[in-house]
Amino acid sequence: RLVSKDGRCNIEFGNVEQSRFVFLIDIWTTILDLRWRYKMTIFISAFLGSWFLFGLLWYVVAYIHKDLPEFNPSINHTPCVENINGLTSAFLFSLETQVTIGYGFRCVTEQCATAIFLLIFQSILGVIINSFMCGAILAKISRSKNRAKTITFSKNAVISKRGGKLCLLIRVANLRKSLLIGSHIYGKLLKTTITPEGETIILDQVNIEFVVDAGNENLFFISPLTIYHIIDKNSPFFHMAAETLLQQDFELVVFLDGTVEATSATCQVRTSYIPEEVLWGYRFAPMVSKTKEGKYRVDFQNFSKTVAVDTPHCAFCLTNEKEAKAKEK
């Protein structure tokens, strides 16, 4: 399958001729797309590396100015930085400077212009590193795809009659009480087709229209919804039957786009169904009830539960049955 049940795409890029340095041009997106373990490695390395680098520079300043104890400075000697006795103390001073701890034990004096310039440069660079790294962590946590994890689809799709028409039905639920604004549901049927010219097209995409009783635009997505696709003569499922469904080679990918109410960020939820996950002749069990206190209760135990119902074994048979009844009248 191309799309897993949790929405991840099973695809691999090979023989990409473009240089990998193009990913460094868009460094922000590259950092956001990294896995947490790599991101935290960069986060820790950026701070430790900058502290150690500036620690070396502070040590060099003290060494050049002969502030270290091995030079036996005189009593009247004024060091560039007070109380730097070696590389360890230089590292600690670098850490205190960049994170603005300010213990007051080590401090820059007016003796060296180089030390003052280095202090200013490290302070500015430290603010830049803090802003970038903290912003990357915050953006990673608040990405809208995390909100998408609280939108779930039913494990199986079902085919049964609805409103006198043969339909393919899928159930979707919002696990949070906050709404998705401007939600839109649609689908793509992926299959391998052969053109009249003999060309084989892998992953050929066919649009699948899904509707809800209240319309497929601006859904009031406060409780689980059952979306359905009408299997008519324009549907790619029209020539399928209950006996031949498992012999088909297709993948139905369902998308739900919406805007997160809390952050106004757009998100997309997707899942897929293969022929083994489409049940012919079933409908979903009811899951919304009303309590004695007047509240509506959603029982998620019945979310993916199905019930067998009387269903025509093909859409073509249902159409012929309706035409025959019309002729009798």
Side-chain angles (χ1 to χ4, degrees), residues 38-137:
Y38 302 125
K39 184 184 292 291
M40 295 307 299
T41 301
I42 294 176
F43 183 87
I44 295 172
S45 300
F47 283 102
L48 289 179
S50 61
W51 295 340
F52 184 74
L53 175 62
F54 280 100
L56 288 177
L57 294 178
W58 286 115
Y59 179 80
V60 170
V61 170
Y63 184 87
I64 294 175
H65 197 252
K66 298 183 178 180
D67 299 334
L68 301 176
E70 54 261 30
F71 292 107
N72 297 320
S74 62
I75 300 176
N76 298 328
H77 179 76
T78 303
C80 293
V81 182
E82 296 281 356
N83 300 309
I84 285 188
N85 303 317
L87 186 58
T88 303
S89 57
F91 174 79
L92 292 175
F93 178 71
S94 173
L95 171 62
E96 296 167 13
T97 300
Q98 189 163 326
V99 299
T100 64
I101 295 178
Y103 289 130
F105 181 67
R106 300 180 183 89
C107 60
V108 177
T109 64
E110 301 176 357
Q111 187 68 21
C112 301
T114 304
I116 297 175
F117 173 79
L118 185 59
L119 177 67
I120 296 173
F121 182 72
Q122 184 177 6
S123 299
I124 295 175
L125 185 62
V127 171
I128 295 175
I129 294 176
N130 285 338
S131 301
F132 185 85
M133 289 301 170
C134 294
I137 295 295

Side-chain angles (χ1 to χ4, degrees), residues 31-326:
I31 292 294
L32 290 184
D33 289 339
L34 288 176
R35 294 179 179 270
W36 273 109
R37 53 180 177 267
Y38 302 125
K39 184 184 292 291
M40 295 307 299
T41 301
I42 294 176
F43 183 87
I44 295 172
S45 300
F47 283 102
L48 289 179
S50 61
W51 295 340
F52 184 74
L53 175 62
F54 280 100
L56 288 177
L57 294 178
W58 286 115
Y59 179 80
V60 170
V61 170
Y63 184 87
I64 294 175
H65 197 252
K66 298 183 178 180
D67 299 334
L68 301 176
E70 54 261 30
F71 292 107
N72 297 320
S74 62
I75 300 176
N76 298 328
H77 179 76
T78 303
C80 293
V81 182
E82 296 281 356
N83 300 309
I84 285 188
N85 303 317
L87 186 58
T88 303
S89 57
F91 174 79
L92 292 175
F93 178 71
S94 173
L95 171 62
E96 296 167 13
T97 300
Q98 189 163 326
V99 299
T100 64
I101 295 178
Y103 289 130
F105 181 67
R106 300 180 183 89
C107 60
V108 177
T109 64
E110 301 176 357
Q111 187 68 21
C112 301
T114 304
I116 297 175
F117 173 79
L118 185 59
L119 177 67
I120 296 173
F121 182 72
Q122 184 177 6
S123 299
I124 295 175
L125 185 62
V127 171
I128 295 175
I129 294 176
N130 285 338
S131 301
F132 185 85
M133 289 301 170
C134 294
I137 295 295
L138 179 60
K140 181 77 171 179
I141 295 174
S142 60
R143 293 187 76 176
S144 56
K145 73 176 185 179
N146 295 328
R147 174 64 174 92
K149 296 183 183 297
T150 56
I151 306 295
T152 180
F153 288 90
S154 57
K155 181 180 179 181
N156 296 299
V158 298
I159 294 178
S160 60
K161 290 177 64 176
R162 187 184 182 96
K165 301 177 182 179
L166 191 64
C167 299
L168 183 144
L169 301 97
I170 297 172
R171 181 173 273 175
V172 58
N174 180 13
L175 302 182
R176 289 186 179 273
K177 291 185 178 180
S178 59
L179 301 179
L180 283 181
I181 303 172
S183 300
H184 175 58
I185 298 177
Y186 58 98
K188 297 285 186 180
L189 187 69
L190 308 178
K191 60 180 181 178
T192 301
T193 59
I194 301 178
T195 64
E197 295 77 18
E199 179 185 4
T200 301
I201 302 177
I202 300 178
L203 298 180
D204 187 24
Q205 301 184 15
V206 180
N207 290 328
I208 302 294
E209 295 294 334
F210 282 97
V211 295
V212 188
D213 292 333
N216 62 342
E217 296 286 349
N218 299 324
L219 303 177
F220 185 49
F221 201 10
I222 193 64
S223 63
L225 298 175
T226 301
I227 62 175
Y228 58 93
H229 164 71
I230 300 175
I231 303 178
D232 54 14
K233 294 182 179 180
N234 298 322
S235 171
F237 295 96
F238 183 74
H239 297 287
M240 299 182 188
E243 297 82 3
T244 62
L245 179 63
L246 296 180
Q247 302 172 7
Q248 304 294 325
D249 182 18
F250 67 85
E251 180 178 351
L252 175 61
V253 185
V254 184
F255 303 87
L256 172 63
D257 297 339
T259 303
V260 181
E261 186 180 32
T263 61
S264 298
T266 58
C267 69
Q268 183 183 87
V269 194
R270 52 187 176 267
T271 190
S272 70
Y273 299 92
I274 56 178
E276 290 78 5
E277 296 169 344
V278 179
L279 306 179
W280 195 295
Y282 289 83
R283 64 172 174 82
F284 290 111
M287 58 182 300
V288 180
S289 60
K290 196 171 183 180
T291 63
K292 296 180 180 180
E293 294 79 13
K295 293 184 178 181
Y296 291 94
R297 183 176 184 272
V298 180
D299 185 7
F300 278 93
Q301 186 176 359
N302 294 338
F303 180 69
S304 294
K305 186 178 180 180
T306 57
V307 180
V309 292
D310 185 21
T311 306
H313 70 92
C314 66
F316 188 72
C317 299
L318 180 62
T319 303
N320 290 342
E321 180 182 344
K322 289 183 178 179
E323 292 178 355
K325 289 182 179 179

